[in-house]
Amino acid sequence: VMASTARRRPGRPPAAKADETRKRILHAARLVFSERGYDGATFQAIALRADLTRPAINHYFSSKRVLYREGVNQSNELVVVTGVQSAERETTLVGRLTAFISAAVRANSENPSTSAFLVTTVLESQRHPELSTTENDAVRIGREFLLRVVNDAIEHGELAADIDASAVVETLLVVLCGVGFYAGYVRSNQEMLAVTDVLRQLLEGALWRPDT
């Protein structure tokens, strides 16, 4: 054991500690980017929020852009991709939408600041198009998900065949973005759970295909 300890490179933490430190940095970065935007965020502010030194941040992330993009990728995986995967286990339009929203709200409660950060990334993509990539565009992923589930609902008779699918997709995208903003900046997780349940009931009433 002593020999193994002696061979460990100085300054390199064990894998578990390194992983924990990266998570602390990413959590702090999401908060700072959400509060200050990309231009206003600094490594020093992120280091203070993470209770680390600035050199420690540089050890894990070589630049602000690298840290920002890692935050975007991680947040999309936690919220958007998780929501889509949960929705794919359902068979109805309302079930899929509710599953997506519930999974996203749960992910945000387990990883605070993710929804707020994703809202920020949408705004920053307009100010700094160079920061965005096709792979991590939350709006694009959400729109493609909604297009699939809406077309499937039309095919299975849940929505009228002559409905404007594109308009429905964009309307639902507005709803999902609104939920993300609400979860990220406005209310607690308990309140979000209640809102999600009411939203499900509204969707059932608003989107169900009429019999006549």
Side-chain angles (χ1 to χ4, degrees):
V1 175
M2 291 180 64
S4 175
T5 302
R7 285 195 300 269
R8 183 179 298 151
R9 294 177 62 185
R12 296 287 183 177
K17 184 177 180 181
D19 185 59
E20 179 185 344
T21 302
R22 284 180 62 88
K23 289 179 179 178
R24 283 173 59 191
I25 294 171
L26 285 165
H27 173 64
R30 288 196 302 265
L31 288 170
V32 174
F33 282 126
S34 298
E35 294 167 359
R36 303 189 180 190
Y38 181 81
D39 291 327
T42 64
F43 267 19
Q44 184 61 36
I46 294 168
L48 287 172
R49 188 63 65 91
D51 195 24
L52 294 167
T53 64
R54 176 170 176 166
I57 307 294
N58 281 111
H59 174 75
Y60 289 93
F61 299 96
S62 60
S63 69
K64 184 167 72 169
R65 178 175 294 191
V66 170
L67 175 54
Y68 180 83
R69 284 185 169 172
E70 178 65 21
V72 173
N73 292 336
Q74 185 196 62
S75 297
N76 270 316
E77 285 291 329
L78 289 172
V79 177
V80 183
V81 175
T82 297
V84 171
Q85 290 174 343
S86 180
E88 287 176 347
R89 292 193 287 269
E90 300 295 327
T91 57
T92 66
L93 175 59
V94 173
R96 287 167 174 163
L97 293 173
T98 304
F100 180 96
I101 293 170
S102 297
V105 169
R106 183 169 57 254
N108 185 67
S109 69
E110 295 170 353
N111 302 272
S113 76
T114 49
S115 289
F117 178 65
L118 284 176
V119 171
T120 301
T121 66
V122 175
L123 300 176
E124 292 297 343
S125 69
Q126 304 302 310
R127 301 189 187 104
H128 296 285
E130 73 278 4
L131 295 176
S132 301
T133 65
T134 302
E135 292 76 17
N136 65 15
D137 185 342
V139 173
R140 179 192 64 80
I141 297 171
R143 182 178 282 116
E144 289 180 352
F145 159 71
L146 290 171
L147 184 60
R148 289 198 307 272
V149 300
V150 166
N151 283 334
D152 194 51
I154 293 173
E155 182 179 343
H156 289 85
E158 293 180 82
L159 294 174
D162 60 350
I163 198 169
D164 186 340
S166 177
V168 173
V169 167
E170 293 306 306
T171 301
L172 291 175
L173 186 62
V174 170
V175 172
L176 296 187
C177 289
V179 169
F181 177 84
Y182 195 82
Y185 289 103
V186 183
R187 295 296 183 181
S188 68
N189 183 51
Q190 287 72 23
E191 289 170 306
M192 277 305 306
L193 291 176
V195 168
T196 300
D197 184 58
V198 174
L199 181 58
R200 175 186 58 79
Q201 297 176 55
L202 288 173
L203 289 170
E204 288 176 343
L207 296 179
W208 199 261
R209 184 174 63 87
D211 293 329
T212 57

